[in-house]
Amino acid sequence: MLGFDFEVDKLKQEITRLGANRVLLQMPQGLKPHATQFAQLVQSCNALPIVLVDPCYGACDIAQNEAEGLDADLIVHIGHTQMINQTKTPTLYIEAHANLQITSAIQQALPLLIDYKTIGLTTSLQHIETLNSTKQLLTEHGKTVLIGDAGQLPYAGQLLGCNYSNAKTIAHQVDAFLFIGGGLFHALGVALGTNKPTIIADPYDNKAYSITNQAQRLLQQRYATLQAAKDAKTIGILVGLKLGQKHLSQALTAKTTAEKSGRIALLLAGREINPEALMDFPNIDAYINTACPRISLDTPSKFQKPILTPNEFMVLCGEISWTDMLKKGLFEN
């Protein structure tokens, strides 16, 4: 399968072990071009493949309800490391490792790292196997390189959109971070969670650039969002219904905090939380997001009302300071 290494033997073995007759295939948007090959692989094992077309936002987003509705014997979740250990329908996580040359992107990052002696390395699952070679290259250029391992994720140096523990565990020892991968989301999380200069080495676009300024602008936007919610009297607390995004206890704590501060609080639960869904609640002044942190980070300008993270709401209610909130983590639970 061009572009990625998949654990296809693992898939065959699990279908055989379970004697699965019906297999639900779930994958993020970027891997859906591989759906046909996976379906043919499942069918070669004498099982019926069903490809889920709904969006998939991460390892937390397991299609358990859909599997039950389709009477599937196995969910195959492609592209992420395991997050949820137990599901009613057996779930097999198939990792995806990108077959990309990263040397050029790393070399372009070197001038951006010239003022920093000790570098922290981070990446997403797709590029986890590049960390050792990158460490060697940076060491050859006189850098001291650290790869954090907080013990919460399957791989040292790995990041999730809601877990930056591997970066945080070495933040006090490094001068800057280098993130290997595409897009801004994970690298912004590193910059915001550690308050350290952060460089992206992007092997997809074959370029390197700093996102430190973007992180500062995002903090300014988040502070403006917090200020916009200051006079909110009625709060909607968003509860995700996807298995790994359901933080009901956190939502209940937010409800108690809101009511303690004299506000009205309403719990709103949903699988897909988007601007269109919230337009049906015109009397709500602001929202607290306890579901996927990308809702707060990626799309706040698309929502008509301010959407705060639980930690930002604590600042709004005077429970913690803005500075203490940044130390705790803007988007992490």
Side-chain angles (χ1 to χ4, degrees):
M1 296 185 183
L2 187 63
F4 291 92
D5 288 329
F6 295 106
E7 303 166 301
V8 293
D9 289 339
K10 184 177 175 182
L11 172 56
K12 292 178 182 178
Q13 292 167 5
E14 188 68 2
I15 292 174
T16 301
R17 186 184 72 83
L18 291 173
N21 294 312
R22 189 171 295 180
V23 177
L24 180 62
L25 296 169
Q26 183 184 24
M27 61 199 79
Q29 305 305 100
L31 295 182
K32 285 181 178 174
H34 298 281
T36 300
Q37 294 98 312
F38 272 104
Q40 290 174 334
L41 182 63
V42 170
Q43 198 152 318
S44 73
C45 298
N46 298 315
L48 173 68
I50 304 174
V51 179
L52 190 65
V53 302
D54 289 339
C56 174
Y57 299 109
C60 57
D61 186 0
I62 299 296
Q64 177 60 63
N65 293 337
E66 293 83 348
E68 291 184 53
L70 293 167
D71 198 24
D73 305 302
L74 173 66
I75 301 169
V76 178
H77 186 94
I78 301 165
H80 303 109
T81 51
Q82 184 166 343
M83 173 183 284
I84 300 172
N85 294 321
Q86 292 185 332
T87 54
K88 186 174 181 180
T89 302
T91 300
L92 175 67
Y93 284 80
I94 296 292
E95 297 182 4
H97 297 269
N99 295 320
L100 287 175
Q101 174 56 250
I102 65 161
T103 303
S104 178
I106 301 301
Q107 288 175 337
Q108 293 182 60
L110 288 171
L112 302 175
L113 296 169
I114 194 168
D115 293 330
Y116 310 116
K117 172 62 177 175
T118 305
I119 309 300
L121 275 187
T122 61
T123 189
S124 57
L125 166 67
Q126 288 71 30
H127 310 287
I128 203 72
E129 293 174 343
T130 69
L131 290 184
N132 287 335
S133 60
T134 301
K135 179 178 180 178
Q136 181 178 346
L137 180 59
L138 293 178
T139 301
E140 290 172 356
H141 283 80
K143 304 298 182 183
T144 299
V145 180
L146 300 179
I147 300 174
D149 189 357
Q152 298 179 17
L153 298 174
Y155 297 103
Q158 181 188 2
L159 303 178
L160 297 181
C162 55
N163 190 322
Y164 300 93
S165 58
N166 285 340
K168 285 187 170 185
T169 197
I170 58 172
H172 64 290
Q173 298 174 267
V174 305
D175 303 314
F177 279 95
L178 177 64
F179 171 79
I180 303 170
L184 294 174
F185 181 65
H186 290 90
L188 276 173
V190 173
L192 294 172
T194 66
N195 197 30
K196 294 286 184 175
T198 303
I199 310 299
I200 292 177
D202 185 341
Y204 298 98
D205 291 335
N206 196 27
K207 63 181 181 180
Y209 54 97
S210 170
I211 60 151
T212 302
N213 290 337
Q214 288 97 319
Q216 291 305 312
R217 285 197 296 270
L218 179 59
L219 280 181
Q220 293 171 0
Q221 293 168 1
R222 296 312 308 167
Y223 190 78
T225 298
L226 191 152
Q227 292 300 310
K230 189 162 58 174
D231 296 326
K233 300 300 182 185
T234 302
I235 303 292
I237 302 172
L238 304 176
V239 182
L241 292 181
K242 298 177 181 180
L243 284 181
Q245 298 178 13
K246 189 187 300 180
H247 304 294
L248 183 58
S249 61
Q250 187 180 47
L252 292 172
T253 298
K255 186 175 188 296
T256 299
T257 301
E259 292 171 345
K260 180 181 174 182
S261 68
R263 296 174 171 90
I264 298 171
L266 178 66
L267 296 176
L268 301 171
R271 284 189 57 79
E272 296 292 333
I273 298 172
N274 53 51
E276 292 74 22
L278 300 189
M279 288 177 65
D280 295 329
F281 305 95
N283 295 329
I284 292 179
D285 303 314
Y287 295 91
I288 306 167
N289 171 38
T290 70
C292 175
R294 296 196 81 134
I295 296 171
S296 304
L297 179 61
D298 282 355
T299 56
S301 62
K302 297 180 181 179
F303 290 90
Q304 295 183 350
K305 304 291 178 64
I307 296 186
L308 304 180
T309 69
N311 292 339
E312 287 173 332
F313 186 62
M314 296 287 283
V315 175
L316 185 68
C317 293
E319 299 287 328
I320 60 175
S321 69
W322 175 259
T323 301
D324 288 340
M325 185 271 294
L326 292 180
K327 292 178 181 178
K328 184 177 181 182
L330 187 61
F331 300 104
E332 295 174 89
N333 293 326

